[in-house]
Amino acid sequence: MTINGAPLIDGFNRSISYLRLSVTDRCDLRCTYCMPERMTFLPKSEVLSLEELYDLACGFMDRGITKIRLTGGEPLVRRDVISLINRLGAHIGGELDELTLTTNGTQLDQYAAALFDAGIRRVNISLDTLQPDTFAALTRRDRLTDVLRGIDAAQQAGLKVKLNTVALKGVNEFELPDIISWAHNRDCEVTLIETMPLGTVDEERSDRFLRLDTVADRLRTMWYLEPLTRKTGGPARYFRVAETGGVLGLISPLTNNFCAGCNRIRVTATGQLYPCLGGTQQVDLRAAVRSDKPAMALNAALDQAMRIKPERHHFAIGDGPTKPALTRHMSMTGG
Ligand code: SAM
Ligand code: SF4
C-alpha cells in the first residue's frame, strides 16, 4: 500500500518522524510494575497480522516516518516476527534511517544474529536488576541467566546495546550504581526510568515510585555527572559519568515534563494509534487498513492523529492500584 500524504506535523508544529510499533501485547515475563500476575491478553483475532503491520509501517514511511522501534509486549515472542523485521529492514537506507527494537532480552540469544542481518544495529534491553532473586520476584520468572546470555549474544552479533532500568523504591534503588557500573563496563549506555501509572497492577504503585532527581542526587555523592547536550526528540536527559566514562540517561515523566520536543507516536498491536503515551485519545488504524480504500482511510486517520496530538501528558502518580492514571498497560503501547 502506498499513500502519498504530506509529512506528519502536529498542531504544535512538531514534526513526527518516529514510530513505536507494538507487534504483540503478549510477554514471557510478568514485571510487577507493568502487568498483574494474571494478565488478560488480547484475543489473537484483534491483533494485526504481520502483513497488516508491514502495510501500516509502509504507510507511515510514506508520510515521513524515518525511525521505527518495534516493541510490545515482548516483540520477540510474536511468531515469525523475524519475517516482518526482514521486510522492514529492507527499507533501511531508503525511507528508514533506523529500525530498532525494545526487548526484555530473554530470546536474544536465539535472535541477535538474525536482527543484525536484517539491518538492526541497536537494541534497547530492559534490565532492572542483576540479582537473580530480585529478578525472579520482579518479573515473576526466573530468567536472569537467559537475559544476560541475550545481552552477550547481542553484543557478539555487533548490536549496540542500551539498557533500560526502571528505578523502583525498595526493589533496585540501592543497586542502581552497580547496574550502571556493570553496564558502562560492558560499553552499554543505561537509561533509568521513573515508573509510570499505566494499567492496573497487583501492587500499590506509589509504594514503588522513586524520583529520579533523588537517585541523581545520590549518584552525585559518588560520581560526577556531566550533562550532555543531545537532541533526540525523546524524553531522556543525558549525562556522562566521569568515573566510568559511560552515558547515563534519565527519563522522569512525572517529575520533569518532557513533551515540548516530542517527535513520536505509538501504535498498538491492534492498530490503535496513541498520539501521546500519557493520553487516552486514539485513532483506529485497523479499521483504516481493513477498509475498502485502505490508503485513503489511513491518510485521513493519520491527519486526524496529527490534529489531536496533545501538547503534553498530564499523568501523575499516587492514585493507587485500583485507579491508575490510564487503564491501558505499558505492554499495550510498548513504552
Ligand atoms: N517487553 C519489552 C521490554 O520489557 O523491554 C518491551 C516492552 S516494555 C512495555 C518497554 C519498556 O517499558 C520496558 O523498559 C519496561 O521496563 C517499561 N515499562 C513497562 N511498564 C512501565 C511502567 N508502568 N512505568 C515505566 N516503565 C514501564
Ligand atoms: Fe513484559 Fe516488558 Fe512488561 Fe516486563 S516490561 S512484563 S518484559 S512487556
Side-chain angles (χ1 to χ4, degrees):
M1 174 171 58
T2 307
I3 64 175
N4 285 310
L8 299 171
I9 296 179
D10 76 2
F12 301 93
N13 216 21
R14 291 172 298 198
S15 175
I16 309 302
S17 55
Y18 179 4
L19 168 67
R20 293 207 172 187
L21 182 59
S22 172
V23 299
T24 177
D25 67 321
R26 287 164 197 259
C27 190
D28 53 353
L29 301 182
R30 295 285 183 283
C31 303
T32 52
Y33 55 80
C34 179
M35 53 176 79
E37 167 97 69
R38 294 174 178 279
M39 179 71 176
T40 312
F41 294 109
L42 294 165
K44 287 196 174 142
S45 57
E46 288 193 22
V47 172
L48 296 180
S49 67
L50 293 176
E51 191 66 34
E52 288 171 327
L53 285 166
Y54 177 71
D55 279 352
L56 255 192
C58 289
F60 276 105
M61 288 187 258
D62 287 341
R63 301 249 359 218
I65 289 287
T66 56
K67 177 171 172 181
I68 298 180
R69 175 178 295 281
L70 301 178
T71 177
E74 172 47 41
L76 295 179
V77 303
R78 172 102 195 224
R79 188 179 307 158
D80 211 19
V81 69
I82 276 299
S83 66
L84 173 68
I85 293 173
N86 280 327
R87 290 181 81 187
L88 292 175
H91 293 266
I92 300 170
E95 304 95 313
L96 274 191
D97 292 338
E98 194 178 31
L99 177 66
T100 57
L101 183 81
T102 300
T103 172
N104 63 28
T106 58
Q107 323 262 333
L108 266 180
D109 189 22
Q110 184 188 339
Y111 284 114
L115 296 179
F116 188 89
D117 289 345
I120 291 187
R121 292 293 174 265
R122 296 194 305 143
V123 288
N124 280 23
I125 304 178
S126 302
L127 180 67
D128 300 326
T129 177
L130 290 165
Q131 302 301 321
D133 292 350
T134 311
F135 187 96
L138 185 58
T139 66
R140 303 186 179 104
R141 301 288 186 269
D142 190 8
R143 310 265 324 252
L144 178 62
T145 313
D146 294 336
V147 175
L148 297 181
R149 206 178 288 133
I151 295 173
D152 283 341
Q155 291 192 302
Q156 272 160 23
L159 297 168
K160 192 101 190 125
V161 172
K162 183 164 160 187
L163 297 184
N164 285 347
T165 303
V166 178
L168 297 160
K169 190 193 270 181
V171 178
N172 62 2
E173 71 175 293
F174 296 111
E175 197 197 333
L176 295 173
D178 290 343
I179 297 171
I180 296 165
S181 301
W182 183 87
H184 287 176
N185 220 356
R186 315 179 47 118
D187 197 23
C188 296
E189 287 188 16
V190 52
T191 294
L192 305 182
I193 307 171
E194 275 175 2
T195 160
M196 290 176 249
L198 294 173
T200 303
V201 292
D202 297 333
E203 61 187 15
E204 174 65 72
R205 276 191 197 281
S206 49
D207 288 350
R208 294 278 169 251
F209 179 65
L210 180 60
R211 291 178 67 101
L212 285 189
D213 45 12
T214 306
V215 173
D217 285 347
R218 287 185 195 154
L219 294 176
R220 284 193 181 93
T221 65
M222 308 166 47
W223 293 326
Y224 176 65
L225 306 187
E226 176 201 340
L228 297 176
T229 43
R230 261 196 201 177
K231 291 254 184 305
T232 61
R237 290 170 291 147
Y238 290 98
F239 300 86
R240 177 156 320 270
V241 179
E243 289 76 359
T244 64
V247 173
L248 172 68
L250 300 179
I251 300 187
S252 327
L254 300 181
T255 56
N256 175 39
N257 193 281
F258 51 60
C259 306
C262 182
N263 65 350
R264 59 196 61 194
I265 44 177
R266 298 173 161 82
V267 175
T268 69
T270 59
Q272 300 308 307
L273 184 157
Y274 285 95
C276 172
L277 177 63
T280 50
Q281 285 185 305
Q282 65 192 75
V283 178
D284 186 0
L285 303 186
R286 185 177 57 189
V289 288
R290 290 184 181 173
S291 71
D292 297 344
K293 295 188 173 147
M296 198 196 251
L298 186 57
N299 251 335
L302 295 181
D303 287 340
Q304 190 199 348
M306 289 304 98
R307 282 194 294 275
I308 65 172
K309 185 168 164 63
E311 187 173 16
R312 50 162 296 174
H313 75 70
H314 290 286
F315 50 47
I317 200 100
D319 288 337
T322 50
K323 213 169 149 280
L326 293 174
T327 52
R328 64 171 197 272
H329 291 90
M330 187 76 117
S331 54
M332 271 192 75
T333 37

